[in-house]
Each structure stands twice: as structure tokens, then as C-alpha cells.
Amino acid sequence: MASSIQQQRSTATSSGSEGGGDPQMIDERKRKRMLSNRESARRSRMRKQKQLEDLTDEVSRLQGANKKLAENIKAKEEACVETEAANSILRAQTMELADRLRFLNSILEIAEEVEGLSVEIPEIPDPLLKPWQIPHPIQPIMATANMFLR
């Protein structure tokens, strides 16, 4: 019985990866493991290369999108400056027309006093002091997002 246990032990150690098995079998296993490791390393390098290429492509795409957005913002800022300039001109013209209207109304008042004429003189609204009270009928403002995304 003791000899069969010894025989089992020697069989177990010779079939294991560590032990004094056949040197040719051990060399073959080492060679297969080395080839497997090389192939695994090659696949890993290829995966990393693909990830690097994907990230590089994404960087290029995002830089292009960023450039487009910056150009769009610049165009909108320029349009805003132009609109503000046009608005300033319109305010100045409104003030000038209001002054002319006051002047003409004063002439009418003088004519009324001198001639005894009864002329109805409307009150001159000051749109700069109360811009929310527009003297003409209010029309709805139709705005869409597309107006701003040219």
C-alpha cells in the first residue's frame, strides 16, 4: 500500500508544471506560453493604438466644433454691436423728432393764443423716459431660435 502512494506522488509531481518532468515537454509549454504572451501583448498594443487613434479623431472633431462655435459667437457679438448702434441712432432720431414736435406744438399754442383758434394739441409721449409705454398699438413680437442661429 505504501508503494502505491509513493507511485501516485511521483506521477503527480511529474505531471505538474513544476517538477522534474520531461524537459522537452517543459520547453514546449514554455514556448507555447511565450507565444501566447506575445500574441496577447500584440493585441494589447493594437487596442491601445486604436484607442489613441479614436481619441485623436475626437480631439480633432471637438477642436473643429469649438472653432465653429467661436466663429458663431463672434458673428453674434458683431451683430449685437451693429444692433446696438442702430438702436442708438433710432433713439437719437426719436429725441430729435420729439423736440421738433414740441417746437411745432409751441407754434400751435402761440397761434391759438394770437388768433383765438381752438386747436387740439396732443401730449407728446416721452418714449425714453417710459419705454414700456409705446404710443402706438402694440404688435406681438414674433421671435424664433432660428433668428439667432444664422
Side-chain angles (χ1 to χ4, degrees), residues 26-63:
I26 293 172
D27 287 346
E28 181 64 22
R29 276 190 239 133
K30 281 184 180 179
R31 188 183 66 77
K32 283 183 179 179
R33 195 176 314 117
M34 278 179 34
L35 286 175
S36 175
N37 287 346
R38 283 182 187 157
E39 182 61 25
S40 176
R42 184 185 69 79
R43 285 192 308 263
S44 177
R45 284 191 304 272
M46 288 177 65
R47 243 188 340 266
K48 286 182 181 180
Q49 182 66 32
K50 173 86 169 88
Q51 287 173 341
L52 180 64
E53 289 171 0
D54 290 347
L55 290 173
T56 304
D57 290 346
E58 187 175 0
V59 165
S60 297
R61 183 184 60 77
L62 289 173
Q63 284 175 337

Side-chain angles (χ1 to χ4, degrees), residues 100-120:
R100 285 184 187 175
L101 188 56
R102 280 189 198 91
F103 175 72
L104 292 173
N105 281 342
S106 68
I107 292 174
L108 284 175
E109 287 174 2
I110 293 170
E112 186 179 74
E113 287 176 11
V114 171
E115 297 288 327
L117 297 173
S118 176
V119 179
E120 186 178 323

Side-chain angles (χ1 to χ4, degrees), residues 5-30:
I5 293 174
Q6 265 184 342
Q7 198 175 25
Q8 285 177 350
R9 283 185 189 163
S10 70
T11 307
T13 56
S14 67
S15 65
S17 61
E18 296 179 21
D22 185 14
Q24 192 174 12
M25 282 294 278
I26 293 172
D27 287 346
E28 181 64 22
R29 276 190 239 133
K30 281 184 180 179

Side-chain angles (χ1 to χ4, degrees), residues 64-77:
N66 194 14
K67 184 179 178 183
K68 274 186 179 179
L69 287 173
E71 290 171 354
N72 204 356
I73 288 171
K74 185 179 179 185
K76 299 305 179 211
E77 286 174 344

Side-chain angles (χ1 to χ4, degrees), residues 85-148:
N87 229 358
S88 294
I89 292 170
L90 290 173
R91 281 191 190 105
Q93 288 174 343
T94 301
M95 291 297 288
E96 184 181 333
L97 290 173
D99 287 344
R100 285 184 187 175
L101 188 56
R102 280 189 198 91
F103 175 72
L104 292 173
N105 281 342
S106 68
I107 292 174
L108 284 175
E109 287 174 2
I110 293 170
E112 186 179 74
E113 287 176 11
V114 171
E115 297 288 327
L117 297 173
S118 176
V119 179
E120 186 178 323
I121 302 172
E123 184 182 328
I124 302 170
D126 193 350
L128 297 178
L129 293 178
K130 297 178 183 174
W132 58 90
Q133 293 180 348
I134 302 172
H136 49 78
I138 298 175
Q139 296 179 358
I141 298 172
M142 304 300 278
T144 63
N146 293 336
M147 292 173 58
F148 303 106

